[in-house]
Each structure stands twice: as structure tokens, then as C-alpha cells.
Amino acid sequence: MLKKEIVKLKSTKDDKFRQELLTNDVNILNEITSTNLFKSLDNNGNGNILKKDIITALESRGILINDPRISDVVNKLKKFKDTEEISSTQFHSIIIKNITLVEKALKGDLIIPDFESFSQKVNIIFDEVKSNNDGQVADYIPQLARVSPENYAISICTIDGQQFHLGDYETPYSVQSTCKPISYALALEEFGEKKVHNHIGREPSGRGFNELTLNKDGLPHNPMINAGAIMSCSLIRPDLNISDRFDYVLSKWKQLSGNKNPGFNNSIYLSEKQTADRNFALGYFMKENNAFPENTDMHEILDFYFQTCSIQIDCSSHSIVAGTLANAGICPITRERVFSPTTTKNCLSLMYSCGMYDFSGEFAFTVGLPAKSGVSGALVIVVPGVCGITIWSPNLDKFGNSVRAVKICDKLVEQFNFHNYDNLIPNIKKIDPRLQKNEDKLEGIMVANFAASQGDLNEIKSLNAKGINLNNADYDLRTPLHLAASEGHLHVIDYLILNNVDPNPKDRWGGTPLDDAKRHE
Ligand code: GLU
């Protein structure tokens, strides 16, 4: 049917007819897709499924029902009772408007295909770390001192918008220093790298985040410490008046978090302002060194900085902000571009080297991911090209980083190959959640069997070096030795035997490599 249509399409010159044929093709393809997806959900094969079958399938892949990208599916499903059977035709009309995402999710084509096992593993880590009550909440202002250290949440948002939340992920907190990368990115978007770095350095300071110090050029060391963040604020939309500048920043946070509504905590802002001697001192110090752009009203900018620290968000929305950074500046939920890829790259580079206060070097070494923490206990971690993670737990260590959040990061990179340089280690014993279930294992087996059948000894040696087990068998229980014997590749047989593979494995028909060799003599 489809083939006939394509032949017609190729032979016609009439544009309108062409368009009709094309639309027709898309419709046919969509129908085939939805029929196949339906079959995959029809557990009993009786031609009917329930509402919960669709929802559970999507949610297990990380596509949550509040995701605006499947709003049409969710609205249409509302018309069905829980026990009402849904036919293949009805399923088609339910998913048709969101078919691309539904197809990707159900076929396992999203960045973390087996999202369910990934989430389960994160859940275990989250529970393990929960009992750690070390550290203390920030107490330099009463509003932070009063926050319960029991609060604990983790949220993940992948670049494909798969989401996963645990704990108090809907409880709002002030972003504090996690606003610094965002303010820096906004300054970059406004003025570009050259101008911004005429006012801010990009080296770790090796000193405390609020230390009264500037670099040898009289500039703040980097945008991730207080002086640098104050400077970033001076570079955000200086053409606007201060109230509109704040609205602008808030609107960007809204875009970054997939149109969730970040708020503002006025009492935090007032407290910050009241206890800000050090930040005022930094402001004066930079003013004295002529570090600010021309016509900057330093007092106004300090105020603006306190306001950006007092933006309020919850962990679930904050993880979408992190997901946007992981996705090169495009919000995974709305697909809207918020930052350019270059801005995002620059921002992540400085988060990597300077994002964790005086622990930044150690964190880059052990965890190997760009991150930014804040004294409210929030930690934003970015796995570029994979996902954004936000953890919130208010007890801080002596560096000002959330104790539990750092612990979770350690455990995450222990299990998953997320460290920036993990890919350099062959045969690393870590999970790559980007792979389909068993994909890495199967790939090794297929490649080894193919190489053996071709007599490609070099490839067999490379696979051995990569740690692929040369005893592994395919679904017919055929091993590289079977294949090499069938094809009479003596050099491969020698190598395999010398490398201690089992000389007598049985395939699913009970045949050994020796049987193969005899048969093909
Ligand atoms: N508002 C805080 C300050 O400027 C930010 C602290 C932080 O999270 O590092 O002191």
C-alpha cells in the first residue's frame, strides 16, 4: 500500500496532488505506528487495553501525566472510565496529536531507554543517603536557619524531558547561589563572552565564596562566587529599569523551568539585604577598582543580586532548569531555546571548575560533572547530553555544600558512567543508562561472533582487550569458537583456545565447535 503511494508520489508533478499524497503517507505511517504501539500494550492480545496501561507505560519511561507534551493524550483519556476498554482505533485517536513523543517513549528511543531501572537505582541511593544527618543548616539569616534539615528531595529531568522525583520535591526553597550560573548565562547572552570577561575572570579563586578579594586585574575571579555574581547582575539588561530587570530574570527562570512559575521570597530578600555587610564590602571594593561597567548604580545592583538569590523554586522545576543546561540551552519540556549552545558551554565550564565553593577541585576530580550549590541546600548537577539533576537537603558541610547532595553525587558516579572522563576507561564496570537494556552486552556478542566468522583475528583481539567475554554465546548459544570452526579459521581457533575459552560449548542444537569443524571439512 505504502509502496504504491510512493511510486505515485514520485511520478506526479501536480503540487496539490503531491501534498495530498504526502499527507496520506504520513497518515498511513502513523496508523502503522499506532497499531504497533497498541499491540505492545495489549498484554492479553484481546484487542483492548485500559487507560492505566497507557499511563503506566508512559510514566515508566519518565513521561509524566503533567507533561504538557502529552496533554492531548491525557485530556482524551479523561473521557474514559478506569474500567472502560480502549480499542486500537480509539488508541490511535487518543495518541495521534502527541504520537512522536509517545512513539519514542514506548519504543525505548529516549535518552535513558530503561528509565524504570535507572529510577529504581537512584531511589536506592536516595534511601541509603537519607540517614546521613551530618552538617548544619545555614544560619546567617533566620529564614534559612528555620528550614527543617529533614527536607530531602531529588529530581531528574533528561534532555528528552523524562522526569523522576522523590521526597519533598514540591516544597519551595530559595535558589541562593544556584542563581549564579543563570545570571552569568544571562550576561553572556546580552553582551557575549569578550565583554563579560572584561568584567569577570574565569579562574577558580582558591578562596572562600564571599572572600574580600579580586584577581590581579582587579576583577572578581569568576562568576560562581559572590563578587562575580554581583558583576553578572550588572550586565543583565542594563537598558531596563531595575524592576523590569528583575521581571526579565524571573521570566528567564520561567522559561528554563518549562513554564513553571518560580516565585520570590520577600523575607529572605529582606534578611539577605540586612546582613549583607560582606557583599556591600565586595561592591565597594569592585567599585574602587573600576571593575563595574560604566554607569552602574552599585547599590541598585547589590539589591538586584539579593533578589536573584531570593528567587524561589521547588526541586522538580529546578531539575528542568538543570535539564535545559544539559540540553545545550533548549528546555526539554517546551523545546524552547533559552540559552545559545555557546553560552551553555561557557556556563557549564565554569560550573565544572568553580561551582562547589572551596570543594570545586575535589568535586571535579571525584564526580567530574558541572554543578552549582547554594546555601539553601540545593545542588544542581548537569550530565551534559543526558540529564539535569537537582538535589535539595539543607544540612551543609564546612564548605557550604549540601552533605547529602554531595554523597548522592558520589554514589551516582560510582554506579553510572557519568564522570566526564569515564569514557577513557575501557571496560569500565559502570552502567551506561543511555543504552537499551542489554545493548552493550549483545553488541559485544554479535561483534565477536561476526569477527570470528570472518576470521578477523585483530578484531577478536581488540574485543578481548575491551573485556568482552569470548565465551559469550548468542541467542542460539553459538560462540565465537563455533563460528571460527564452521568457517575453518584456524588462527582464530588457536587464539581462542590459547585464551582459555571453553573448547566444548554446546549450541541450542547440542552442537560443539568440533562438530562444526567436521561438518565443514
Ligand atoms: N545570598 C548569599 C550571599 O550572597 C548566597 C550564598 C550562597 O548560596 O552561596 O551571601
Side-chain angles (χ1 to χ4, degrees), residues 283-432:
Y284 277 111
F285 195 24
M286 290 192 282
K287 187 162 182 267
E288 186 196 20
N289 277 275
N290 283 323
F292 284 111
E294 250 173 66
N295 301 324
T296 299
D297 177 336
M298 187 204 79
H299 285 274
E300 203 173 74
I301 291 304
L302 280 168
D303 228 28
F304 186 25
Y305 166 71
F306 304 140
Q307 286 160 9
T308 56
C309 292
S310 312
I311 287 172
Q312 196 165 258
I313 199 163
D314 65 23
C315 194
S316 68
S317 312
H318 214 175
S319 71
I320 303 177
V321 177
T324 305
L325 295 177
N327 196 28
I330 297 177
C331 175
I333 304 295
T334 59
R335 312 307 302 171
E336 185 180 7
R337 175 165 291 292
V338 192
F339 296 143
S340 74
T342 311
T343 291
T344 315
K345 180 198 115 194
N346 290 341
C347 185
L348 293 179
S349 305
L350 290 180
M351 285 168 75
Y352 190 82
S353 56
C354 316
M356 297 292 287
Y357 305 116
D358 276 0
F359 191 66
S360 299
E362 183 63 25
F363 193 84
F365 184 84
T366 50
V367 176
L369 289 171
K372 185 72 199 88
S373 60
V375 290
S376 49
L379 176 59
V380 170
I381 310 117
V382 178
V383 189
V386 182
C387 64
I389 305 173
T390 299
I391 303 163
W392 178 49
S393 169
N395 269 351
L396 307 178
D397 61 20
K398 63 175 193 252
F399 301 105
N401 297 314
S402 163
V403 174
R404 285 175 179 159
V406 172
K407 272 274 165 309
I408 289 188
C409 290
D410 286 340
K411 286 181 179 268
L412 282 175
V413 291
E414 229 170 76
Q415 267 199 52
F416 301 107
N417 66 347
F418 284 161
H419 187 293
N420 201 14
Y421 301 114
D422 270 347
N423 58 351
L424 297 179
I425 303 173
N427 190 27
I428 190 163
K429 296 268 178 301
K430 292 191 187 184
I431 300 163
D432 186 348

Side-chain angles (χ1 to χ4, degrees), residues 140-141 144 175-180 209-210 224 226 230 268 272 275-276 278-279 305-306 309-310 357 372-376 400:
Y140 70 98
I141 52 172
L144 287 180
V175 295
Q176 293 295 347
S177 272
T178 63
C179 70
K180 289 172 179 164
F209 70 103
N210 61 359
M224 302 300 149
N226 283 18
I230 295 168
I268 295 245
E272 288 285 346
T275 51
R278 177 55 66 94
N279 287 324
Y305 166 71
F306 304 140
C309 292
S310 312
Y357 305 116
K372 185 72 199 88
S373 60
V375 290
S376 49

